[in-house]
Amino acid sequence: SAVISQKPSRDICQRGTSLTIQCQVDSQVTMMFWYRQQPGQSLTLIATANQGSEATYESGFVIDKFPISRPNLTFSTLTVSNMSPEDSSIYLCSASDSRGYGYTFGSGTRLTVV
Amino acid sequence: AQSVTQLGSHVSVSEGALVLLRCNYSSSVPPYLFWYVQYPNQGLQLLLKYTTGATLVKGINGFEAEFKKSETSFHLTKPSAHMSDAAEYFCAVIYYGGSQGNLIFGKGTKLSVKP
């Protein structure tokens, strides 16, 4: 399975600012995904990021708030824009193999907005 | 809507006791099934997965799960709990026909292990 390096591991940000989270995969992967885990909750898919195309967002998530880049097959970024305290969550990236059988996760970014 | 149900948000066992974490899915067509573990302040680690073939799947750290189509279940077990097993466990599925990569997660079960 692929190994994903995610950074930053945690950050404390001011209201109204933006934070960009990076995920680097040690091998080429077809699909990358971004999840949000709110405090005490399960994971919710934000969007699917394919190389060379626009990200596909799930209901309740919009590009203006969570712009995503996928410049190549090993890298993706998620930006949390114009942050508010409600954005305080753990954000995780994930990647799958070409068959869709294996989903590896990064270690997560714990975001606190004050 | 397709979903995953984990019975029990919190399970507590004694060290050395059997661990049983329950997971049921809602689909007439068997999905791909996964169990992940999340230790405090860490990301998710894949414990085991079922795609096709043998219905009893063995994973890491002594965990195993059995896919039972008749019961639409994929319960996670470990014969003897260890203190280091204390963590949150998530059952997840991918349904055929769904957008690839759309892992649907259960709400999670927090496992506590008492000495």
Side-chain angles (χ1 to χ4, degrees), chain B residues 82-99:
Chain B
H82 192 273
M83 297 295 291
S84 62
D85 294 326
E88 185 137 25
Y89 293 79
F90 292 94
C91 181
V93 304
I94 297 174
Y95 289 103
Y96 295 146
S99 57

Side-chain angles (χ1 to χ4, degrees), chain A residues 10 31 33 35 37 41-43 45 48 58 90 92 96-108 110, chain B residues 32 34 36 38 40-46 49 51-52 88 90 94 99-103 105-108:
Chain A
R10 59 178 61 231
M31 308 187 75
F33 313 94
Y35 289 84
Q37 185 180 22
Q41 302 294 315
S42 187
L43 283 77
L45 181 66
T48 302
E58 297 299 306
I90 299 173
L92 299 107
S96 75
D97 61 26
S98 58
R99 299 169 300 170
Y101 288 178
Y103 289 80
T104 305
F105 282 81
S107 55
R110 184 177 294 271
Chain B
Y32 295 163
F34 306 79
Y36 285 88
Q38 185 177 36
N41 300 314
Q42 294 189 28
L44 271 70
Q45 181 180 11
L46 180 66
K49 63 186 177 187
T51 54
T52 58
E88 185 137 25
F90 292 94
I94 297 174
S99 57
Q100 185 182 9
N102 193 0
L103 267 174
F105 283 87
K107 293 187 180 298

Side-chain angles (χ1 to χ4, degrees), chain A residues 26-48:
Chain A
D26 69 346
S27 60
Q28 293 185 342
V29 292
T30 305
M31 308 187 75
M32 293 186 72
F33 313 94
W34 288 95
Y35 289 84
R36 181 175 72 182
Q37 185 180 22
Q38 294 177 299
Q41 302 294 315
S42 187
L43 283 77
T44 301
L45 181 66
I46 297 172
T48 302

Side-chain angles (χ1 to χ4, degrees), chain B:
Chain B
Q2 295 165 332
S3 63
V4 181
T5 302
Q6 289 184 243
L7 292 175
S9 59
H10 192 186
V11 171
S12 182
V13 301
S14 298
E15 191 173 19
L18 171 71
V19 175
L20 171 60
L21 304 182
R22 300 177 186 273
C23 174
N24 289 86
Y25 62 90
S26 62
S27 173
S28 59
V29 178
Y32 295 163
L33 296 148
F34 306 79
W35 275 100
Y36 285 88
V37 60
Q38 185 177 36
Y39 297 101
N41 300 314
Q42 294 189 28
L44 271 70
Q45 181 180 11
L46 180 66
L47 275 177
L48 48 79
K49 63 186 177 187
Y50 170 79
T51 54
T52 58
T55 56
L56 181 62
V57 181
K58 295 186 183 299
I60 62 172
N61 302 337
F63 284 93
E64 61 182 37
E66 186 172 10
F67 167 61
K68 291 187 176 181
K69 182 179 178 180
S70 61
E71 299 177 7
T72 61
S73 69
F74 191 56
H75 301 330
L76 182 70
T77 61
K78 182 174 180 177
S80 178
H82 192 273
M83 297 295 291
S84 62
D85 294 326
E88 185 137 25
Y89 293 79
F90 292 94
C91 181
V93 304
I94 297 174
Y95 289 103
Y96 295 146
S99 57
Q100 185 182 9
N102 193 0
L103 267 174
I104 299 173
F105 283 87
K107 293 187 180 298
T109 297
K110 186 173 183 178
L111 176 66
S112 300
V113 182
K114 299 174 291 186

